[in-house]
Amino acid sequence: MSLKERIKQGLFLLDGAMGTQLIASGIEVGKCNDYLNIESSDIVSNIHKAYLQAGSDAVITNTFGANKFALARHGLAEEVEKINTAGAKIARKAAGEQKYVLGDIGPSGNFIKPLGDLEPKDLEDAFTQQAKALLAGGADGFIIETMTALDEAIIAIEAVKSVSGDLPVFASFAFDRSGGDYRTMMGVDVESAVSKTILLGVDAVGFNCGSATLDEYIELAEKFVSAVKASGKDTLVFAEPNAGKPELVDGKAVYKVSPEDFASAAEKIHSLGINIIGGCCGTTPAHIAVISKKLQVGSG
Ligand SMILES: [Zn+2]
């Protein structure tokens, strides 16, 4: 079954965090995680396998920072194709033909003109280049994640859609709760994020990462469901909360929400009609395993 058909068939579990799992595997903070697809593919592959074993229906490639601009910060701007194709191949091999691979695309980390000096066309070319390389490695679809600027998200979606053909495209934003409202770091609210991305024809719109408690993520999920309803479209919603708000321990962000508490929140999010659920920072295969156990029952 194609990914596009599969996501309409009820519960579809994404995976949990890659970054915090890499740190747990001993990878230094600040290293180029994406380059591990070339350098230490076993570490990446083992994380994918652990999520698949835990019950994930899809794994997300280790390519979050593998656009030209993000890679340039590690002197790797020339390696876009190699890193993304390798990342998709590692995930494809782990997932086999039964499970799915979503090619991960994160923000450039730069600002578009006039706020910064990034030309929209250069950004579009960078995302197109990344999406093509993910496709070449065997991705079944794309997930554009942790977006905070609407203009960048729109460019990313258009770029990906220019090469994705019939494959589904997911897009998500990172929200914080500030002053009683949910906004991205760049001030985008849920309604604008949802209405603008839906118009571009994404298959699923959602939220990931950011900074919120589990109760706040549930509230955010409610807002997403109503915003999609208000649009009159049947675009799917997906949710990838962090394992709660991080606490700083010895200068490091530590996520303390247990798999059980995370799964209870996931259950509430699922009861709102959201069928595509995974986790962002701080979530582990143990978190996905409990969700899988709790939600698979009776949900087809
Ligand atoms: Zn995150």
Side-chain angles (χ1 to χ4, degrees):
M1 192 186 305
S2 75
L3 177 58
K4 209 167 199 154
E5 290 170 286
R6 173 60 186 85
I7 52 178
K8 291 176 189 151
Q9 315 277 316
L11 188 67
F12 185 76
L13 283 188
L14 301 173
D15 58 9
M18 173 60 75
T20 39
Q21 286 305 101
L22 288 172
I23 293 168
S25 313
I27 301 299
E28 248 173 87
V29 179
K31 224 179 132 63
C32 178
N33 286 348
D34 310 86
Y35 197 64
L36 295 172
N37 296 341
I38 310 286
E39 225 176 24
S40 316
S41 60
D42 280 359
I43 297 180
V44 178
S45 172
N46 287 337
I47 295 173
H48 288 323
K49 286 178 187 159
Y51 280 122
L52 291 160
Q53 231 158 42
S56 293
D57 295 299
V59 285
I60 297 175
T61 59
N62 176 42
T63 55
F64 177 75
N67 62 73
K68 185 175 90 183
F69 297 103
L71 286 179
R73 282 178 212 111
H74 299 279
L76 294 167
E78 302 302 314
E79 307 294 330
V80 172
E81 273 97 4
K82 235 166 99 181
I83 291 173
N84 283 284
T85 301
K89 280 186 175 165
I90 296 165
R92 175 83 278 152
K93 202 170 168 204
E97 294 308 315
Q98 300 303 314
K99 303 280 182 99
Y100 298 89
V101 173
L102 281 166
D104 198 16
I105 293 182
S108 66
N110 294 1
F111 294 120
I112 299 167
K113 280 181 170 178
L115 199 56
D117 54 13
L118 197 54
E119 290 286 353
K121 177 75 177 99
D122 293 339
L123 185 61
E124 189 183 338
D125 289 348
F127 286 135
T128 306
Q129 177 192 32
Q130 186 181 8
K132 274 187 185 164
L134 287 166
L135 208 53
D140 298 305
F142 299 88
I143 184 161
I144 298 162
E145 288 187 302
T146 327
M147 286 288 157
T148 60
L150 203 47
D151 51 1
E152 179 163 16
I154 290 171
I155 289 172
I157 294 165
E158 285 173 338
V160 171
K161 284 192 78 77
S162 75
V163 299
S164 62
D166 217 22
L167 302 182
V169 178
F170 296 22
S172 84
F173 292 80
F175 291 90
D176 297 330
R177 190 183 158 93
S178 59
D181 196 11
Y182 293 90
R183 285 188 185 267
T184 71
M185 210 173 61
M186 300 302 289
V188 183
D189 62 19
V190 173
E191 289 71 22
S192 324
V194 168
S195 59
K196 292 282 192 303
T197 50
I198 281 184
L199 282 179
L200 298 172
V202 296
D203 297 271
V205 62
F207 58 88
N208 76 294
C209 214
S211 175
T213 62
L214 291 181
D215 284 342
E216 288 169 350
Y217 280 121
I218 295 165
E219 198 184 2
L220 190 54
E222 285 165 1
K223 287 189 183 295
F224 260 80
V225 170
S226 356
V228 171
K229 229 174 232 162
S231 78
K233 300 270 179 52
D234 58 0
T235 310
L236 300 169
V237 177
F238 71 102
E240 292 179 298
N242 289 342
K245 261 192 179 158
E247 290 171 40
L248 274 183
V249 179
D250 299 331
K252 277 187 212 153
V254 179
Y255 294 85
K256 290 194 171 164
V257 166
S258 69
E260 288 69 25
D261 289 347
F262 189 78
S264 302
E267 207 166 25
K268 287 182 188 141
I269 289 172
H270 184 46
S271 72
L272 299 169
I274 296 178
N275 282 327
I276 308 174
I277 302 176
C280 202
C281 299
T283 57
T284 67
H287 291 75
I288 299 300
V290 184
I291 301 184
S292 172
K293 220 165 96 189
K294 271 197 161 176
L295 300 190
Q296 298 289 2
V297 185
S299 98

